Amino acid sequence: MDKFTYQNPTRIHFGEGQIAAIASDIPQDKKVLVIYGGGSIKKNGVYEQVEAALSEHNWGEFSGVEPNPQYDTLMKAVEKIKAEGFDFLLAVGGGSVIDGTKFIAAAAAYQGEDPWNILAQQHPVESALPLACVLTLPATGSESNMGSVVSRGKDKLAFMTPKVQPLFAVLDPTTTLSLSPRQVANGVVDAYVHVMEQYLTFPANAKVQDRFAEGLLLNLIEEGPKALATPDDLDVRANIMWTATQALNGLIGVGVPQDWTTHMIGHELTGNYGIDHARTLSIVLPAVMKERRADKEGKLLQYAERVFGINEGSSDERIDQAIAKTIAFFKQMEVPTSLSDVKLGTADIDTLVASLEKHGMKALGERGNITIKDSRAILEAAL
Ligand code: NZQ
Ligand code: ZN
């Protein structure tokens, strides 16, 4: 296990009715900008709860942050902040709204020429406006991490800085009851692949991180299908919500090698073809497992045994079974597991490879040895 320093400063308010907690967590003297998406919060009672909690605060709102948040939309919020003097941001929604708010917080304080360089050039973020969030879609872990993904046209890029880590996050599972089955499935699958990106690499004597990761995977395998079958079961929603947060709050990622190939290729699928983030991952991950099985053999066998109880047969047989079980789980969650499932084929691979090249994705994976040629092979294995 490598040395590490770990701190997660996000204060979590978990449970029904916890949106009320924002009243005391946001300093009274702040001018708050509530940022949200297309309006789901106005249909599921979340907006009214936020309004009630901010009854003693000076606040305004900015709506319209789209799924896969677009730079141009976010910059409109930056203009509003500068014109009207907001100094605290409250994101209310899923990963897109929270990521968009993180970028807005950084861009509003950015001294450079073009805030897009925070993403395109990975310019350091010296400061950002304080932000917090009310999560309504368990998936990304953005509610308590320092990452954000923003698009500008077909370019979908990420940046990470502790400066945009939410000060607090409200996780009320009842807010997720209004999610469509599609979004419920997306959230479970995104969280599953977050764990795999930090787990399915090579053995690093990280017994805490491994068993924690395996427990998160088992939760998602057990609870994910239940969330589709019995959508009103709040106990199921509560465990999925907390599992998704734990899947990408830094804890299972400390001191271990991390992959993220599936995500980097997935971002190109979303950027070029508009496929939901999670559905790009369920297409790409099985291909990464197949193509990189030699590099990943040790952890694939551990994954087979500890997650699926597979310990009979040759190494190859066990690995084949573990990959098959993973695909079967994705199918149970009703997400695509191949490029052909989303009507993409060989002709599209050139577009995706060119996109990876444009974004400098030439040395991916836990060993930095996945070249453009290897990514092409992964995409061909995903056909
Ligand atoms: O527009 P709104 O009203 O927010 O509606 C959203 C949107 O249409 C809707 N929704 C959210 N909560 C709802 C709801 N509908 C009904 N009831 C609710 N309670 O669901 C749709 C999708 O929302 P979105 O926020 O886009 O989904 P998700 O949370 O999956 O976020 C995806 C984004 O997160 C990024 C992805 O790249 C993508 O842009 N990611 C962020 C990460 C991070 N910051 O660490 C890591 C992830 O790997 C991921 O890349
Ligand atoms: Zn993800």
Side-chain angles (χ1 to χ4, degrees):
M1 179 172 10
D2 295 337
K3 67 175 182 298
F4 64 85
T5 299
Y6 178 69
Q7 182 188 10
N8 189 319
T10 303
R11 200 161 120 87
I12 301 283
H13 297 286
F14 189 95
E16 189 164 356
Q18 286 273 44
I19 292 176
I22 64 179
S24 48
D25 265 17
I26 301 178
Q28 211 56 52
D29 63 344
K30 292 292 182 186
K31 185 173 183 184
V32 185
L33 183 62
V34 173
I35 297 173
Y36 61 95
S40 65
I41 67 166
K42 294 211 162 172
K43 295 183 203 122
N44 62 7
V46 167
Y47 183 87
E48 289 75 10
Q49 290 182 61
V50 170
E51 203 172 22
L54 293 177
S55 57
E56 302 297 311
H57 281 82
N58 179 5
W59 67 283
E61 61 182 79
F62 177 84
S63 65
V65 176
E66 55 274 281
N68 305 301
Q70 284 287 333
Y71 173 82
D72 292 345
T73 305
L74 305 177
M75 289 308 291
K76 289 189 188 111
V78 173
E79 282 159 33
K80 182 177 178 74
I81 288 164
K82 291 187 173 172
E84 300 174 35
F86 291 96
D87 54 5
F88 193 101
L89 308 183
L90 182 70
V92 185
S96 290
V97 170
I98 300 172
D99 279 10
T101 301
K102 289 178 179 178
F103 178 75
I104 292 164
Y110 185 65
Q111 302 300 317
E113 273 295 295
D114 177 2
W116 179 243
N117 285 329
I118 293 171
L119 290 138
Q121 311 286 333
Q122 297 292 300
H123 271 193
V125 172
E126 305 299 340
S127 67
L129 288 182
L131 71 103
C133 60
V134 174
L135 178 72
T136 65
L137 198 170
T140 63
S142 190
E143 63 278 14
S144 66
N145 74 31
M146 58 175 96
S148 166
V149 182
V150 173
S151 299
R152 190 175 202 178
K154 293 188 170 186
D155 295 327
K156 183 177 173 74
L157 302 174
F159 77 103
M160 289 181 78
T161 166
K163 300 275 192 321
V164 298
Q165 176 112 11
L167 293 173
F168 66 82
V170 178
L171 279 63
D172 174 350
T174 61
T175 67
T176 71
L177 293 172
S178 51
L179 281 167
S180 63
R182 178 188 190 86
Q183 291 303 345
V184 168
N186 282 352
V188 168
V189 168
D190 194 18
Y192 195 92
V193 182
H194 292 157
V195 178
M196 296 295 272
E197 299 276 25
Q198 302 166 84
Y199 171 83
L200 196 70
T201 54
F202 53 82
N205 179 40
K207 291 180 177 298
V208 171
Q209 295 89 324
D210 277 359
R211 285 236 154 73
F212 196 24
E214 290 150 2
L216 296 175
L217 294 172
L218 284 167
N219 280 354
L220 293 165
I221 291 168
E222 285 164 22
E223 302 303 296
K226 287 182 199 167
L228 294 180
T230 53
D232 295 334
D233 185 333
L234 262 180
D235 289 343
V236 169
R237 298 308 185 102
N239 281 303
I240 288 174
M241 192 166 218
W242 192 225
T243 300
T245 299
Q246 296 295 328
L248 199 51
N249 67 356
L251 202 50
I252 62 170
V254 291
V256 296
Q258 299 195 25
D259 185 349
W260 297 101
T261 303
T262 299
H263 268 74
M264 293 306 107
I265 295 174
H267 286 174
E268 306 306 345
L269 274 163
T270 301
N272 286 284
Y273 300 102
I275 299 165
D276 291 359
H277 170 65
R279 288 159 194 258
T280 70
L281 309 178
S282 54
I283 289 167
V284 177
L285 178 66
V288 169
M289 296 168 90
K290 289 173 195 161
E291 282 299 303
R292 310 307 298 181
R293 62 194 290 157
D295 271 359
K296 296 177 182 286
E297 184 179 18
K299 289 305 281 289
L300 273 166
L301 290 169
Q302 181 176 323
Y303 170 66
E305 179 175 3
R306 293 209 184 145
V307 176
F308 296 114
I310 301 166
N311 41 34
E312 304 276 317
S314 71
S315 297
D316 267 347
E317 285 162 348
R318 282 179 277 156
I319 289 172
D320 288 342
Q321 283 178 58
I323 296 172
K325 285 271 191 186
T326 307
I327 293 170
F329 168 59
F330 288 159
K331 286 186 183 301
Q332 215 183 346
M333 295 308 299
E334 299 164 15
V335 293
T337 55
S338 69
L339 289 172
S340 52
D341 281 351
V342 291
K343 311 271 180 288
L344 294 180
T346 319
D348 302 298
I349 292 182
D350 288 340
T351 304
L352 293 163
V353 167
S355 228
L356 281 165
E357 204 136 29
K358 176 185 174 191
H359 296 136
M361 300 295 165
K362 301 173 183 166
L364 298 176
E366 60 272 18
R367 301 172 201 267
N369 62 351
I370 295 184
T371 63
I372 289 288
K373 190 165 157 280
D374 296 320
S375 291
R376 177 180 290 278
I378 289 167
L379 283 162
E380 283 161 358
L383 278 170

